[in-house]
Amino acid sequence: MSTTVILPETTAAPTQARWTLFAASFGFLMVSLDATIVNVALPTLGHRLGAGFGQLQWVVDSYTLMFAAFQLIGGTLSDRIGARRAFTVGLALFTVASLICGLAVSPAMLIAARFGQGLGAAIQLPASLAMIRRAYDDPGKRTRAVGLWAAAGGAAVAAGPVIGGVLLVTLGWRSLFLVNLVIGALGLLAVTRAAPTPAGSGRRIDPVGQFTVVSALCGLTYGLIEGGHQGWTAGPVLIALGAAVTGAAFFVWWERRVEAPMLPLDLFAQSTFSVASVVGFVQNFAYYGIVFLLSLFLQEQRGDSALVTGLVFLPMSLGALTANLLGGRVTAAFGPRLPMVGGQIAFAGGLLLLVLGGADIPLWMIWAATVPVGFGAGLVVPAMTSAAMEAVPARYAGVASAQLNTARQVGGAVGVAVFGALVAGNFLGGLQTSLVTAAVALLAAAAIAARFVAAR
């Protein structure tokens, strides 16, 4: 049975608007795919490149860290030079970095190239959402467009382990990165036909703010990853966590005083925007962290193959794709609160079902549990994104998109680091603790969304 997806129209230049949506969706698909496609290949990377457990965490977190750390400046760049131009630069950088990943001969080379991927993603992702924000004038049509954009990214995140398993078995681990050359070329072709976007907003780059963001996030990620290996009282760990706290505090102080802030803190006066950022953080904290651990659990603890591991995630992928395609319409019909709250409750329920399965959980139970995980996560993303973008003025589309996705990527990096630290001494016990922690965080975020996000 085939499914026909009707693209939303726009009152101005409908053909350009469609190409804008295609280009933005290709870009989001590619950067989202690389957040999870590598997880299923971690044991293989450990054997082929001689990478230890800590290095494998960095293979995942080097990408999400740079993705998070530079999105705010990516949003500023989008508003300053024009979203379409910024998108093109970011997409090209990501594609080149993917080539270097595919040619890596050591863990250090791979991690460095993953940093490059994260930087390219940080530049193009805020621009992709800003392009859609500019291309669709009508709020209802824009909500549907954002839903389709979110469907591309959400489906890619969920399908990453499945695609990774198939590519790993058939073409080898390098193909997981080289596939981006094809996707990147399609995205660059589509953007040449996209609607033009205005530039010259006058917003200046804030180097002090950017430096403090990078310092805080690098310190936090390093401290959480190495704390599980070196011990939480080790000197480098304490220094890193201290740098994270200091950098975050100084960033808030500086952004309140600088004439042209990288992140206008007044945006957080809008409760819907603030709650969307919290929900985005928790979503990726739970999702990225659990996918990371389940990939290792299936291969290292159960002895399943990479292909079987990828196929285990297939029900989750299908659930996420279905929910993403429905999410925009549900949000347009009922408002963002219902899908945000309901999706997180379903996500948490799936994680608790995994807890009940215990260490000897059968594959059928993992499949059953990951369906609400994927469907719940997929339902939240379009609602969360639309709510955040509608809550801010159009002139802040780039920076608002950057802040929302920064919160999401920080959540992903923290999830991998925290859950990796929890399983460092006792994998199975740490896995159970991680599942419960993620479920509690999701239920708390659902309660916050129920309280502060308007039904309409």
Side-chain angles (χ1 to χ4, degrees), residues 73-367:
I73 203 169
T76 301
L77 189 66
S78 172
D79 292 340
R80 184 175 178 84
I81 70 173
R84 190 171 75 169
R85 184 179 299 175
F87 178 85
T88 303
V89 170
L91 190 60
L93 176 59
F94 189 100
T95 304
V96 172
S98 297
L99 174 62
I100 299 174
C101 284
L103 300 176
V105 295
S106 68
M109 182 176 177
L110 178 58
I111 291 170
R114 291 281 284 173
F115 274 115
Q117 281 187 311
L119 179 60
I123 295 173
Q124 70 102 331
L125 186 60
S128 71
L129 196 51
M131 286 165 60
I132 294 174
R133 179 70 171 79
R134 292 282 186 178
Y136 291 91
D137 300 322
D138 180 80
K141 295 171 182 176
R142 186 163 58 241
T143 296
R144 291 176 58 202
V146 169
L148 292 173
W149 172 86
V157 169
V162 181
I163 296 172
V166 173
L167 289 177
L168 184 63
V169 171
T170 57
L171 299 175
W173 69 265
R174 298 184 188 276
S175 65
L176 275 65
F177 303 104
L178 297 179
V179 69
N180 290 329
L181 303 184
V182 177
I183 302 173
L186 292 174
L188 290 170
L189 176 63
V191 78
T192 61
R193 300 172 178 268
T197 55
S201 65
R203 295 189 65 220
R204 293 187 297 228
I205 302 297
D206 178 12
V208 175
Q210 182 60 62
F211 175 77
T212 55
V213 166
V214 172
S215 299
L217 294 182
C218 286
L220 178 63
T221 305
Y222 179 89
L224 291 176
I225 288 178
E226 295 302 323
H229 302 288
Q230 299 183 31
W232 298 105
T233 58
V237 173
L238 293 177
I239 292 172
L241 295 177
V245 174
T246 303
F250 186 82
F251 175 78
V252 173
W253 178 86
W254 175 260
E255 294 299 289
R256 289 187 180 278
R257 287 159 178 78
V258 69
E259 181 180 350
M262 182 171 64
L263 176 61
L265 298 181
D266 290 345
L267 291 176
F268 294 100
Q270 168 52 254
S271 62
T272 298
F273 180 78
S274 298
V275 171
S277 297
V278 172
V279 170
F281 175 93
V282 173
Q283 281 284 114
N284 279 26
F285 170 82
Y287 198 95
Y288 284 22
I290 295 306
V291 169
F292 173 75
L293 292 188
L294 281 181
S295 298
L296 293 174
F297 169 72
L298 290 167
Q299 295 182 72
E300 297 293 324
Q301 301 295 316
R302 286 178 50 93
D304 294 318
S305 68
L307 180 59
V308 170
T309 299
L311 293 176
V312 165
F313 289 102
L314 182 59
M316 182 176 72
S317 304
L318 295 176
L321 177 60
T322 302
N324 277 146
L325 293 173
L326 291 174
R329 295 183 179 276
V330 173
T331 301
F334 300 103
R337 184 169 65 188
L338 177 62
M340 286 175 72
V341 174
Q344 290 184 98
I345 292 174
F347 190 165
L351 296 180
L352 293 176
L353 186 58
L354 288 173
V355 173
L356 294 176
D360 299 323
I361 183 172
L363 285 180
W364 70 264
M365 193 170 183
I366 297 178
W367 283 327

